[in-house]
Amino acid sequence: MTSEVRIKNTGLRGVTVADSGVSFIDGEKGILIYRGYRIEDLAERSNYLETVYLLLFGTLPNPEQLSAFSDRLRAKRALPAFILDSMRLYPKTALPMDVLQATVPLLGMADKDPRADAREDVLERSITLIAQLPTVVAAWHRIRSGEEVIPPDDSLEHAANFLWMLQGEKPDEQTAKDLDVCLVLHADHTFNASTFAAREVVSTRASIYAGVTAALGALSGGLHGGANTRVMEMLLQLADEKDIKGWVEERIDQGKVIMGMGHAVYKTGDPRAAYLRKMGQRLDKTTDSRWAALASEVEQAALNRFAAEGKTTIQVNVDFCSAPVYYMMGIPIDLMTTIFAISRIAGWCAHIIEEKFADVQGKPALYRPEAQYVGEYCGLMGCTYTPMTGRKEG
């Protein structure tokens, strides 16, 4: 073993592992770009379906292309009967993200030609997964609630159809638009933990189903997609708190985190949070609630404390602002991370396609990082093996 001191990076921060043309982040300036387009333009002027097309194909569609793409997605929304039958056998207490992660391999089993792995095959599977993940989430919520599964409505756009299948009522135009914007904002975010998991898995030439399943597992974690659930749980606990500033101060003094504060990349603010904050403020008024206002109180108290300590790079992230928005839309708390998933599936698929078909010296690169061994060491010949009878007790 060499005695050379090696630099180790926690969480691969600052380590570039691949080229990508899918999205770009400038954390110092608070910039997020999909395929060259600022997230601000897409949130204000585009929609989720057009954003999905952009991520998968690399360009914005013309009207004919978007119409044809919409038809392809609508045709794939329904789930095979055996998958719904299987879901009815799941324990009703199963976590929604676990259900989603368990169901994607079933979608793979429904694939008539799972070995076909040409670019067009992977693209077709991407469209299927993007269309069907919302159906899985909505169906599971209905099943666990003892209600009939509602089939997709082809007359509704992507976000509106999801709310219809989930709640059994067709949403008003503004709510459908709000959710659509949320899906745009969450659609991709470069090499975050779940995207990295998907790309690492498919770099072995595993299927897109394996890659998406891995991504879902990563997203379910409390430090990734699960953070919005914990933010809303925090806000519910603070509903009757009279001294928000005091609660924040005490929590920071105790060395505890405030969920939704801070980001691994953004140092001057998450550009997605700005849109969700405004959306929450409007929903507070239209739903006669104060969840966004409460979140704002927590945010301001925390920012003031961090500023006093010189920690000006700690800002709220997308999870902090999305939690009250989803809650006011009537989305159950434990489904909030699945909303993240049914949006991010577009980015995962775009990255999987890129990973599978990127030309690195003639073939995709297999991810194979190294680790610095810090365990027991007895020289190059290894430690001497002692038979069981010769080992001392204790």
Side-chain angles (χ1 to χ4, degrees), residues 228-377:
N228 54 15
T229 296
R230 295 172 67 183
V231 168
M232 197 61 225
E233 290 171 346
M234 174 186 72
L235 294 177
L236 288 169
Q237 291 172 2
L238 292 174
D240 298 319
E241 176 62 52
K242 303 301 183 184
D243 184 11
I244 297 297
K245 180 177 182 295
W247 181 89
V248 169
E249 293 281 350
E250 181 180 4
R251 192 163 184 85
I252 294 175
D253 287 339
Q254 294 174 348
K256 297 179 180 179
V257 300
I258 297 175
M259 291 310 302
M261 297 291 297
H263 196 279
V265 178
Y266 295 115
K267 305 306 177 186
T268 56
D270 186 331
R272 303 166 299 174
Y275 285 89
L276 291 166
R277 185 184 291 107
K278 292 178 182 177
M279 191 182 294
Q281 292 169 348
R282 175 169 47 77
L283 286 170
D284 262 1
K285 296 177 182 178
T286 57
T287 61
D288 193 26
S289 65
R290 59 178 298 272
W291 295 113
L294 177 58
S296 180
E297 287 185 58
V298 175
E299 176 185 0
Q300 196 56 56
L303 291 179
N304 289 342
R305 170 61 183 269
F306 291 141
E309 297 178 353
K311 300 176 181 177
T312 57
T313 60
I314 301 178
Q315 303 284 331
V316 295
N317 57 42
V318 69
D319 297 305
F320 189 90
C321 296
S322 66
V325 165
Y326 292 154
Y327 191 75
M328 287 185 282
M329 285 182 183
I331 294 171
I333 294 175
D334 66 350
L335 288 188
M336 289 182 179
T337 307
T338 67
I339 305 301
F340 200 151
I342 66 176
S343 168
R344 186 59 56 83
I345 180 63
W348 291 337
C349 289
H351 279 277
I352 286 170
I353 292 170
E354 186 176 67
E355 184 66 44
K356 277 182 168 290
F357 303 103
D359 187 30
V360 181
Q361 295 183 345
K363 60 180 180 180
L366 173 67
Y367 283 62
R368 181 58 174 88
E370 295 182 3
Q372 183 169 341
Y373 179 67
V374 295
E376 189 68 33
Y377 184 67

Side-chain angles (χ1 to χ4, degrees), residues 172-252:
D172 61 83
E173 185 176 343
Q174 185 61 61
T175 300
K177 173 61 177 175
D178 285 345
L179 182 58
D180 190 81
V181 171
C182 291
L183 298 183
V184 170
L185 295 173
H186 280 99
D188 194 55
H189 210 240
T190 69
F191 273 51
N192 57 86
S194 55
T195 299
F196 180 79
R199 292 189 67 136
E200 185 275 327
V201 167
V202 301
S203 78
T204 70
R205 298 187 182 177
S207 74
I208 187 173
Y209 303 107
V212 169
T213 300
L216 287 165
L219 188 69
S220 69
L223 294 181
H224 193 7
N228 54 15
T229 296
R230 295 172 67 183
V231 168
M232 197 61 225
E233 290 171 346
M234 174 186 72
L235 294 177
L236 288 169
Q237 291 172 2
L238 292 174
D240 298 319
E241 176 62 52
K242 303 301 183 184
D243 184 11
I244 297 297
K245 180 177 182 295
W247 181 89
V248 169
E249 293 281 350
E250 181 180 4
R251 192 163 184 85
I252 294 175

Side-chain angles (χ1 to χ4, degrees), residues 7-20:
I7 297 175
K8 297 184 288 293
N9 290 276
T10 302
L12 294 178
R13 298 291 196 278
V15 177
T16 301
V17 297
D19 293 336
S20 178

